[in-house]
């Protein structure tokens, strides 16, 4: 009986410490920070394969920066499995827009189609 209780507590602890599903805005913030700080592993983890390839191409043209990147979420829109996040970073002060999709029940930044218009 005691062993069963201990095993149950261990399983409960493990399940509570696992990765939680992040919101679309949390994912966008991580992608923006990892993009400008050139953290390729974090970038890859939170983007689709197409999104990663596109962002890496642009990232390779950026100069390295050692400063801490701050991200401000300016606007967001969500429609089922697609979300849009408009943000601004301390890297250059410019605004950007990410399109996110659900992939394996997790939000990931992806490419916007050539003529695709977002909500803002």
């Amino acid at each position: 009986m005691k062993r069963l209780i201990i095993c149950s507590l261990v399983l409960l602890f493990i399940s509570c410490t696992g990765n939680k599903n992040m919101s679309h805005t949390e994912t966008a913030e991580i992608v923006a920070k990892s993009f400008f700080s050139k953290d390729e592993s974090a970038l890859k983890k939170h983007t689709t394969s197409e999104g990663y390839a596109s962002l890496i191409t642009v990232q390779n043209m950026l100069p390295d920066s050692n400063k801490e990147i701050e991200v401000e979420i300016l606007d967001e829109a969500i429609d089922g499995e697609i979300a849009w996040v408009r943000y601004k970073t301390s890297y250059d002060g410019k605004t950007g827009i990410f399109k996110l999709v659900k992939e394996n029940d997790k939000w990931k930044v992806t490419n916007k189609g050539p003529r695709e218009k977002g909500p803002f």
Side-chain angles (χ1 to χ4, degrees), residues 1 12 14-15 19 26 29 34-35 41 55 57 82 87 93-94 100 106 113:
M1 179 72 169
L12 178 64
I14 291 170
S15 67
N19 287 341
E26 290 171 320
E29 185 174 339
S34 62
F35 174 78
S41 64
L55 289 171
T57 300
I82 298 175
Y87 64 93
K94 296 180 181 177
L100 295 94
K106 294 181 181 171

Side-chain angles (χ1 to χ4, degrees), residues 20 34 45 48 60 69-70 79 105:
K20 70 174 184 93
S34 62
K45 180 178 179 182
T48 63
N60 288 331
I69 305 299
E70 298 296 324
D79 185 15
D105 211 29

Side-chain angles (χ1 to χ4, degrees), residues 19-115:
N19 287 341
K20 70 174 184 93
N21 284 343
M22 292 187 295
S23 71
H24 55 287
T25 54
E26 290 171 320
T27 301
E29 185 174 339
I30 287 172
V31 170
K33 284 182 178 180
S34 62
F35 174 78
F36 289 109
S37 64
K38 296 192 175 187
D39 181 349
E40 291 181 24
S41 64
L43 191 64
K44 190 170 193 171
K45 180 178 179 182
H46 299 287
T47 56
T48 63
S49 57
E50 299 85 13
Y52 177 76
S54 177
L55 289 171
I56 274 298
T57 300
V58 175
Q59 184 187 62
N60 288 331
M61 294 184 261
L62 294 177
D64 289 341
S65 173
N66 291 333
K67 66 181 179 177
E68 181 71 25
I69 305 299
E70 298 296 324
V71 178
E72 179 183 357
I73 303 299
L74 302 173
D75 206 354
E76 62 180 289
I78 187 168
D79 185 15
E81 301 279 305
I82 298 175
W84 297 85
V85 175
R86 188 164 55 100
Y87 64 93
K88 180 171 72 172
T89 69
S90 60
Y91 180 83
D92 59 6
K94 296 180 181 177
T95 61
I97 297 175
F98 284 139
K99 175 185 177 184
L100 295 94
V101 294
K102 282 264 182 136
E103 188 176 272
N104 298 323
D105 211 29
K106 294 181 181 171
W107 287 109
K108 296 203 173 191
V109 170
T110 191
N111 280 355
K112 183 179 84 159
R115 297 194 176 159

Side-chain angles (χ1 to χ4, degrees), residues 4-17:
L4 179 63
I5 292 172
I6 291 172
C7 287
S8 296
L9 289 174
V10 168
L11 288 174
L12 178 64
F13 177 75
I14 291 170
S15 67
C16 289
T17 59

